[in-house]
Amino acid sequence: MDKNELLKGLNASQRNAVETIGGPLLVVAGAGSGKTKTLTHRIAYLIASGVDPSSILAVTFTNKAAKEMKTRVQTLIAAHGLVTAPGFIGTFHSLGAKLLREEAMYFKRTPYFSISDKSDSLSLIKSITKELNLDKEKFPPQAILAAIGLRKNGQSKGNNEHNFFESIVSNIQAKYEDLLITNNAFDFDDLIMKPATLFAENPELLRKYQARWHYILIDEYQDINPVQYSLMKQLAEHHRNICAVGDDAQSIYSWRGADFTIFLDFERDWPGASLVLLEENYRSTQTILTAANAVIAHNSLKKDKNLFTRKEAGPPIYVIEADNDIQEAAICIDTIAGLAKNNLSTLEQVAVLYRTNAQSRVLEEACIRARLPYQMVGGTKFYDRKEIKDLLAYLTLAINPNDTISLERIINVPARGLGKEAVNILRIRDTHEREEALGRYRNKKSVAAFLEFIHTLQEKMRELPLVQVLRFLTHELKFQEYLSTKTEEGIKRWENVQELVNAASHYDTRSTNRLENGVAFLETANLYQDADALHEHARGITLMTIHAAKGLEFETVFLVGLEEGILPHERSLTEESALEEERRLAYVALTRAKKTLYILFARSRKVFGSFKMNLPSRFLAEIPDTLVEYTNATSAKTYIDEDFIEYN
């Protein structure tokens, strides 16, 4: 076949990226610029040019992306009369698993090893900390596992013996590795780290794989971590036919270990490398692209590019100021309902994006009150999140001591060493009979302490506002430590807890009867869960974090919470590199919109039940005023009850 047929439908830059076969190549692919199309055409072009398909290795980060790449390549080569697919298209982890199965004997495993997931690994760490009799509050298993993961991904050298925590982690890691060998297993971090280490120590073995794969293509190169980089550099350094495709402006995963400076340093690492910029965007209007270009221009560390489109300018960016976060959600959902009612957009074409999972609560509640279906993507609905259900179960048990479902849920949250036998004892209604059973129980002190705590909680529910009850509850349970807020996941879960306190604050002045306020709050939380079930099969509005939205696109996007301390997040305000990542996150959010973009911010929002005044995000000020239509909305109550809108 004529390989030039594969160039049809590509723009000049895309053709350049496809035709540059030999040597290192960096393709800087702006948002919506046809990155996947370019990458898959390049693979097909290599095959059509006579390259042995088995010598091609293409890697990406997610199973979804790998499947899409493989499907597109197979369709392309079939359509052009080619019959043989590339040697390997898959994720980094599937590549690592393939290498380890071929070389398992080097690690005292068989090729039939298991892959230990996060929960399996956590169980092993817990068994080791128990064996070492370590205090779980000082050495949370989740934090230890996270520290081991950082080491394996090249983010922590783990050799600071002056740091007591690090020395403990070193000891635990050694025992953890022994258990993995005993179980004939690797964990997910091993899948990359072990092959990279093996090749570094065995040059002859590395040459075997260098001879197998002559052409290496890496998708989403801005998300690569140091260990993945090491593995790819080892495999490519002999033939030097490495093609890296990505966009440094969309690097938003440093908390996972991604190091976007590897992307920026590509030309230094590979002297003589070619550079291709994909700047033509096929997704968004020029108004949206001009805004995104203006925002990202304020970052100092970047590859310069200028996104453009042949589409029309499109409508302005609508910026709406709300008094508070409740009103912000009301305005957002009310506007979406109006768009649908006037046939300007279907609900399925709309996404609401936010910086943190905790922000979803008020949006979910607004959707439910408006009777609009919605779906959460990349996250769990607020009242279904474990930490939320756990705390609600405590409140439920304080109000209704006969609720055995709530009892079973929280009897060991946090862990008290109480099992099924303790639950059975606490189920006994007759006081005398329960005392007798308790007297025979080996851990009666823990049961007694638990009962005393629930009794105290009952008193607090009668005497104090809900906000203070929840603060008491989380303090006494040491809930922040229990959630392991030394980890990114723990921080997110604690933010959800703070948002639950905000939700409870709206019920504190409904009645002078504190207990009735608690009952009303729990009833509302349960009703929200029931209302979710009504929309279980209706796709509706998409609610998601900006992180989860990467790679997706929507006709209409609502970006909420564009405030200092939210986006950019408060944890980024003192470090320039973190602030620049927040700006890249804003860039990703802006470029998800195809046609219409709404940006909302609130002058105040409650944090852990107390008011906090916010300034509009600096990123908003970086968008040229000529692109923006401002609205100062004072109310939006079409779907939201009066008592739900007002702060008390």
Side-chain angles (χ1 to χ4, degrees), residues 553-581:
E553 58 184 41
F554 302 88
E555 285 293 321
T556 303
V557 166
F558 286 75
L559 174 57
V560 300
L562 210 69
E563 303 146 30
E564 291 291 298
I566 304 294
L567 182 63
H569 197 280
E570 60 184 355
R571 297 200 306 270
S572 72
L573 298 179
T574 58
E575 188 178 340
E576 188 61 28
S577 62
L579 184 60
E580 292 210 349
E581 177 152 331

Side-chain angles (χ1 to χ4, degrees), residues 58-161:
V59 292
T60 187
F61 284 85
T62 67
N63 289 319
K64 179 183 176 183
K67 183 179 179 181
E68 181 182 2
M69 191 190 305
K70 192 176 296 184
T71 300
R72 286 204 194 187
V73 169
Q74 289 171 342
T75 301
L76 264 179
I77 61 178
H80 291 85
L82 304 171
V83 294
T84 308
F88 183 91
I89 294 179
T91 65
F92 275 99
H93 286 97
S94 62
L95 171 64
K98 176 181 174 63
L99 295 172
L100 289 179
R101 293 201 188 280
E102 292 186 27
E103 311 299 341
M105 66 177 194
Y106 281 94
F107 301 101
K108 301 178 184 178
R109 273 83 155 183
T110 75
Y112 307 103
F113 61 78
S114 301
I115 298 175
S116 174
D117 64 18
K118 187 175 180 180
S119 62
D120 296 331
S121 295
L122 189 59
S123 294
L124 293 178
I125 297 296
K126 285 179 178 178
S127 68
I128 295 168
T129 56
K130 185 175 181 180
E131 173 193 331
L132 296 175
N133 198 28
L134 292 173
D135 185 335
K136 285 191 290 187
E137 291 184 9
K138 292 181 179 178
F139 302 99
Q142 293 93 335
I144 291 170
L145 182 60
I148 292 173
L150 290 176
R151 292 178 172 203
K152 291 188 176 187
N153 284 298
Q155 289 181 273
S156 171
K157 295 180 181 179
N159 59 359
N160 183 2
E161 297 304 326

Side-chain angles (χ1 to χ4, degrees), residues 317-336:
I317 296 170
Y318 302 105
V319 176
I320 304 174
E321 175 187 345
D323 293 336
N324 52 58
D325 51 335
I326 301 297
Q327 189 188 74
E328 177 191 57
I331 293 169
C332 178
I333 301 308
D334 186 60
T335 305
I336 293 171

Side-chain angles (χ1 to χ4, degrees), residues 274-553:
S274 300
L275 174 68
V276 175
L277 301 179
L278 302 185
E279 298 175 294
E280 183 172 357
N281 177 283
Y282 295 93
R283 175 190 300 157
S284 306
T285 66
Q286 190 59 55
T287 295
I288 292 169
L289 297 181
T290 302
N293 288 335
V295 170
I296 203 64
H298 287 78
N299 272 7
S300 58
L301 291 177
K302 64 181 182 301
K303 288 281 187 185
D304 289 328
K305 61 181 178 301
N306 186 54
L307 290 184
F308 70 92
T309 183
R310 300 180 194 278
K311 293 182 178 183
E312 61 184 17
I317 296 170
Y318 302 105
V319 176
I320 304 174
E321 175 187 345
D323 293 336
N324 52 58
D325 51 335
I326 301 297
Q327 189 188 74
E328 177 191 57
I331 293 169
C332 178
I333 301 308
D334 186 60
T335 305
I336 293 171
L339 292 173
K341 182 178 179 181
N342 294 304
N343 297 317
L344 297 175
S345 181
T346 66
L347 297 182
E348 288 74 20
Q349 294 173 326
V350 178
V352 183
L353 307 183
Y354 37 84
R355 173 63 178 84
T356 67
N357 273 303
Q359 289 172 262
S360 76
R361 179 191 66 84
V362 290
L363 293 162
E364 290 182 68
E365 292 182 358
C367 284
I368 292 166
R369 287 178 178 268
R371 301 183 183 278
L372 294 180
Y374 71 96
Q375 64 164 346
M376 297 284 295
V377 174
T380 306
K381 292 183 177 181
F382 185 81
Y383 288 104
D384 287 339
R385 295 168 192 168
K386 182 182 183 303
E387 58 275 14
I388 301 304
K389 292 177 79 72
D390 288 343
L391 291 175
L392 291 178
Y394 268 103
L395 299 184
T396 300
L397 193 63
I399 291 172
N400 177 17
N402 293 331
D403 188 333
T404 57
I405 295 175
S406 294
L407 172 64
E408 288 181 5
R409 181 174 188 92
I410 51 86
I411 189 73
N412 258 325
V413 177
R416 300 181 175 88
L418 299 178
K420 190 173 182 179
E421 187 178 351
V423 172
N424 290 335
I425 292 172
L426 293 172
R427 280 176 169 170
I428 299 172
R429 299 286 171 252
D430 183 83
T431 305
H432 180 69
E433 188 178 342
R434 177 194 281 182
E435 288 298 324
E436 285 188 347
L438 189 58
R440 297 189 297 269
Y441 185 54
R442 69 187 188 286
N443 201 3
K444 52 180 168 289
K445 287 186 178 179
S446 292
V447 174
F450 175 76
L451 284 170
E452 179 61 27
F453 178 69
I454 296 300
H455 177 69
T456 302
L457 187 60
Q458 288 174 321
E459 292 180 343
K460 300 290 184 184
M461 290 285 288
R462 286 191 291 267
E463 298 169 0
L464 299 177
L466 272 170
V467 165
Q468 293 184 35
V469 172
L470 279 167
R471 287 174 179 166
F472 164 80
L473 180 59
T474 55
H475 178 268
E476 293 299 309
L477 294 177
K478 297 182 179 177
F479 211 66
Q480 188 171 5
E481 293 87 345
Y482 164 70
L483 294 177
S484 294
T485 49
K486 292 181 180 179
T487 67
E488 184 70 24
E489 182 62 27
I491 291 170
K492 291 178 181 177
R493 294 177 70 190
W494 180 244
E495 287 175 345
N496 290 333
V497 170
Q498 292 177 306
E499 186 58 31
L500 181 68
V501 177
N502 294 340
S505 70
H506 299 294
Y507 292 80
D508 275 337
T509 57
R510 288 198 168 200
S511 167
T512 55
N513 187 314
R514 303 293 193 191
L515 203 57
E516 285 184 5
N517 291 340
V519 170
F521 173 56
L522 291 171
E523 182 179 289
T524 302
N526 288 327
L527 288 173
Y528 281 140
Q529 294 176 66
D530 291 340
D532 291 346
L534 295 176
H535 301 313
E536 186 176 354
H537 303 295
R539 184 169 177 267
I541 303 164
T542 297
L543 305 181
M544 64 198 312
T545 64
I546 303 170
H547 283 100
K550 185 173 173 290
L552 302 178
E553 58 184 41

Side-chain angles (χ1 to χ4, degrees), residues 13-27 42 45-46 215 241-243 273-276:
S13 295
Q14 291 170 335
R15 285 198 301 273
N16 189 10
V18 169
E19 291 181 288
T20 306
I21 293 179
L25 169 67
L26 178 65
V27 180
R42 178 180 168 82
Y45 189 84
L46 285 171
Y215 292 86
N241 296 321
I242 180 172
C243 172
S274 300
L275 174 68
V276 175

Side-chain angles (χ1 to χ4, degrees), residues 41 80 210-211:
H41 274 71
H80 291 85
Q210 289 174 335

